[in-house]
Amino acid sequence: MATRSLWRIRGKLAVAATALLTGGAAATVATSEDPATALKLCTAVPTRLYRDTVTAAFIAFDYEYSLWGLSEGSVERAKVKHEVHLRSAQKLQELCFKNGGIYIKLGQHLGQLEYLIPEEYVQTMRESMLNKCPVSSYDQVCEVFKKELGEGPDKIFEEFDPVPIASASLAQVHVARTHDGQKVAVKVQHTHMTDTATADRATVELIVNTLHRELDFLVEAKNSEKCLENFRKLSPHIAEYVYAPTVHWNLSTSKLLTMEFMDGAHVNDVKTVRKLGIQPSEVATLVSQAFAEMIFRHGFVHCDPHAANLIVRPLPSGKRSILGKRKPQLVLLDHGLYKELDFTTRFNYAALWKALIFSDANAIKENSVKLGAGEDLYALFAAILTMKPWNRIIDPSVDHLVIKGDDSERSERQMYASQFFPQISELLRRLPRVILLMLKTNDCLRSVNSCLLQGSSVETFFIIGKVSSKAVVEAKKLQRKSLLSRLDVLLEEILLEFRLLGMQIALDFIFFLSAVQMLEGALDTD
């Protein structure tokens, strides 16, 4: 009886949603200046929403029915729950591929959330979303070329490989060679993207508000150049270690982008990174430095730093060390999704991270409230940012925020997330969209660190603490006008340097102890 009732409710929801949107669709087509495009939109939205509703209902029913009567903590329940997680993840994967477009982006992001959602979802999304995205046919690629540049790729390039080397949710990449012999990567937008992006606006409004930027490749090209310019001007100490492919402007339009071809290893391909003579720990340090500078000092942030968008190669100007090791250079790809942080947001976010690193409970609360978390949910906001419970966040030990990456810690985080799900939903509703994008960026970087380090390290948090603290001091210098207030900031800067020095000494001591333990282990083995 309960089963039939659930299926009836699911059916009613789907039919009601479809009817509602179909009624609005007729009016949209009738009043549109472009009826053909409007018709595509109005047939896409109900279909996609119907799929969403059916999938959600199926997953909810599967959990409810399959786990019914199984006692909490039993071996049988754990086995059945694993099977339901796997089925539900596959259903969600199927939905993402059917709807395409922004749903692929959502699936990619789920693949970064190993600290929050069950492993079955993470593995299913991670294995499929980065490597098995929809592919446009060569005829469709030629259609884009002719529309954008007037001729097919065979005329514009000396060589053009019709088989893409990579495909993502919005576009795919082909290898080509220009008439003057340069090897280039050509990014071609999927021909269906304009229609699906418009349809997704009705169903996934939050993320698609930033999608229109990603659909204009000229914006992406300008973003890449602005990003490097910021490093040259504001972070010259690491500018040499961060790179973006050179844009061929004469062969680029809003739907077609031609760039320098980049060789290297994806940041999560630890085996290949090592083969290049690069230490994974140095890559993790560089990624942390680069994004800390972008977030806290530049205020112009690459918000899609998943593994497929980060390439590592040996520093072109660098030489091998005595031990044969090479310095890494981080190559940033896919500059479609950037976010600018206004001065106040950047200052408050930097102050929050400074407080998190130095376990300052009062400053954590003050800056969380300023960013929109509220007096009641500031501790939860801090927990989401760090993936640590409040008692660990305010623990004064140097390694209080380090994520171990073991199963017990992961299970604890997932339990914490499920226990506070209503509060998490309320927090995400409150936070400004720019902070939601920072959370997404944070998740991606955490996932990258996890691949490189099997967790995180004290070094990572030392870098975040150092850059965020200096950004706070720089911001205060700009705000203070009087001589007395400037002296206050100078004193704060001096105290900060001592604090960072103490943290560095503690960090060096931890590394020293680790080295001694490794040496003792080697001697014991002998």
Side-chain angles (χ1 to χ4, degrees):
M1 186 72 178
T3 304
R4 286 198 299 270
S5 176
L6 275 169
W7 281 107
R8 279 201 299 271
I9 291 169
R10 187 195 79 163
K12 286 178 181 177
L13 279 171
V15 171
T18 306
L20 179 65
L21 281 169
T22 305
T28 303
V29 174
T31 58
S32 174
E33 293 179 4
D34 185 356
T37 302
L39 182 59
K40 284 183 185 178
L41 166 63
C42 295
T43 52
V45 172
T47 302
R48 295 156 85 76
L49 188 62
Y50 176 79
R51 286 185 194 135
D52 295 348
T53 308
V54 170
T55 302
F58 178 90
I59 290 172
F61 174 79
D62 198 2
Y63 276 100
E64 189 73 26
Y65 179 78
S66 300
L67 298 175
W68 184 270
L70 298 178
S71 57
E72 194 69 49
S74 67
V75 175
E76 186 182 1
R77 183 183 175 90
K79 179 175 179 291
V80 172
K81 184 184 277 190
H82 166 72
E83 292 168 354
V84 178
H85 282 338
L86 202 55
R87 282 197 301 271
S88 300
Q90 288 165 350
K91 276 287 177 188
L92 201 55
Q93 176 199 59
E94 185 182 334
L95 173 71
C96 290
F97 280 129
K98 278 185 178 176
N99 279 356
I102 194 62
Y103 285 81
I104 302 290
K105 283 281 182 191
L106 291 170
Q108 287 173 347
H109 188 50
L110 287 176
Q112 314 294 325
L113 299 178
E114 66 261 45
Y115 299 105
L116 279 180
I117 64 175
E119 187 178 358
E120 293 84 353
Y121 285 86
V122 172
Q123 290 303 321
T124 299
M125 297 300 169
R126 188 174 287 179
E127 289 168 5
S128 61
M129 291 297 160
L130 293 180
N131 302 315
K132 298 179 184 176
C133 291
V135 177
S136 293
S137 68
Y138 183 60
D139 287 341
Q140 289 172 318
V141 169
C142 291
E143 180 185 330
V144 174
F145 264 91
K146 287 173 183 175
K147 186 176 179 182
E148 297 299 311
L149 296 177
E151 291 184 299
D154 55 328
K155 296 286 179 63
I156 291 169
F157 295 102
E158 183 69 30
E159 298 173 16
F160 185 89
D161 190 341
V163 180
I165 57 167
S167 183
S169 55
L170 311 182
Q172 62 192 45
V173 179
H174 294 259
V175 178
R177 195 171 296 279
T178 61
H179 288 291
D180 61 359
Q182 293 184 64
K183 189 178 183 181
V184 293
V186 186
K187 186 173 181 178
V188 186
Q189 194 174 115
H190 294 311
T191 53
H192 65 274
M193 273 314 302
T194 303
D195 297 330
T196 57
T198 309
D200 288 337
R201 188 175 289 113
T203 48
V204 200
E205 181 187 357
L206 171 65
I207 295 183
V208 93
N209 278 336
T210 58
L211 181 63
H212 69 280
R213 293 185 181 187
E214 288 198 82
L215 290 173
D216 188 341
F217 288 168
L218 293 179
V219 172
E220 177 177 341
K222 290 172 186 174
N223 286 345
S224 69
E225 292 194 342
K226 182 176 178 179
C227 172
L228 292 188
E229 184 65 15
N230 283 342
F231 276 100
R232 283 191 288 268
K233 286 183 176 179
L234 303 174
S235 309
H237 59 292
I238 64 166
E240 183 184 8
Y241 298 92
V242 181
Y243 190 76
T246 303
V247 176
H248 291 251
W249 287 97
N250 62 321
L251 297 173
S252 299
T253 72
S254 62
K255 291 183 172 59
L256 195 149
L257 181 59
T258 305
M259 305 160 287
E260 174 186 5
F261 184 86
M262 305 304 305
D263 279 314
H266 284 298
V267 75
N268 64 340
D269 187 354
V270 177
K271 188 176 180 181
T272 305
V273 167
R274 285 201 173 102
K275 280 183 179 178
L276 292 173
I278 298 170
Q279 295 282 75
S281 58
E282 288 197 16
V283 176
T285 298
L286 179 54
V287 170
S288 297
Q289 285 178 324
F291 279 87
E293 294 285 332
M294 276 192 268
I295 292 168
F296 303 126
R297 302 191 67 231
H298 305 175
F300 187 66
V301 187
H302 187 309
C303 290
D304 201 15
H306 59 71
N309 288 340
L310 304 179
I311 284 181
V312 182
R313 66 176 183 176
L315 184 68
S317 60
K319 296 179 180 178
R320 288 184 182 272
S321 68
I322 297 173
L323 299 175
K325 300 301 178 186
R326 306 176 76 174
K327 291 289 183 184
Q329 185 181 62
L330 179 65
V331 181
L332 302 173
L333 304 178
D334 197 345
H335 298 261
L337 184 55
Y338 270 73
K339 194 66 182 177
E340 288 204 59
L341 305 181
D342 62 73
F343 178 85
T344 303
T345 301
R346 181 167 62 85
F347 173 72
N348 292 335
Y349 194 59
L352 172 58
W353 269 105
K354 176 191 172 188
L356 290 167
I357 300 301
F358 292 113
S359 310
D360 187 339
N362 291 331
I364 291 171
K365 179 177 180 180
E366 178 188 345
N367 290 288
S368 294
V369 170
K370 285 179 180 177
L371 289 168
E375 299 255 349
D376 54 334
L377 295 179
Y378 71 90
L380 181 62
F381 183 35
I384 288 175
L385 281 170
T386 61
M387 292 299 151
K388 290 286 181 181
W390 180 252
N391 65 318
R392 287 292 295 163
I393 291 170
I394 58 174
D395 186 327
S397 59
V398 176
D399 62 347
H400 68 295
L401 296 181
V402 172
I403 295 169
K404 296 176 183 176
D406 55 38
D407 291 339
S408 61
E409 197 174 73
R410 187 181 296 112
S411 298
E412 182 185 0
R413 279 189 292 269
Q414 290 172 358
M415 182 184 70
Y416 190 80
S418 61
Q419 184 180 351
F420 291 97
F421 185 76
Q423 292 92 331
I424 292 172
S425 298
E426 171 59 20
L427 176 64
L428 296 179
R429 186 192 65 78
R430 286 183 194 178
L431 292 173
R433 287 176 179 175
V434 65
I435 298 301
L436 293 178
L437 273 174
M438 291 304 101
L439 289 177
K440 173 187 183 294
T441 304
N442 201 31
D443 289 333
C444 289
L445 294 173
R446 187 182 291 114
S447 179
V448 167
N449 258 318
S450 179
C451 289
L452 290 165
L453 303 172
Q454 298 304 304
S456 62
S457 70
V458 179
E459 176 74 15
T460 298
F461 291 105
F462 175 71
I463 291 165
I464 294 171
K466 187 175 182 179
V467 180
S468 61
S469 299
K470 292 195 171 183
V472 169
V473 170
E474 288 171 0
K476 286 182 178 178
K477 281 180 180 177
L478 291 173
Q479 289 178 318
R480 304 296 166 89
K481 302 295 182 185
S482 69
L483 178 61
L484 187 61
S485 62
R486 285 181 183 176
L487 287 173
D488 286 341
V489 175
L490 180 60
L491 179 60
E492 183 179 341
E493 191 171 10
I494 292 169
L495 290 173
L496 172 64
E497 288 298 333
F498 276 112
R499 208 169 183 182
L500 290 171
L501 179 61
M503 196 173 180
Q504 182 65 65
I505 291 169
L507 187 61
D508 291 342
F509 184 64
I510 290 171
F511 286 153
F512 172 74
L513 287 179
S514 299
V516 169
Q517 288 173 351
M518 287 175 64
L519 183 60
E520 287 177 345
L523 291 173
D524 288 344
T525 304
D526 292 341

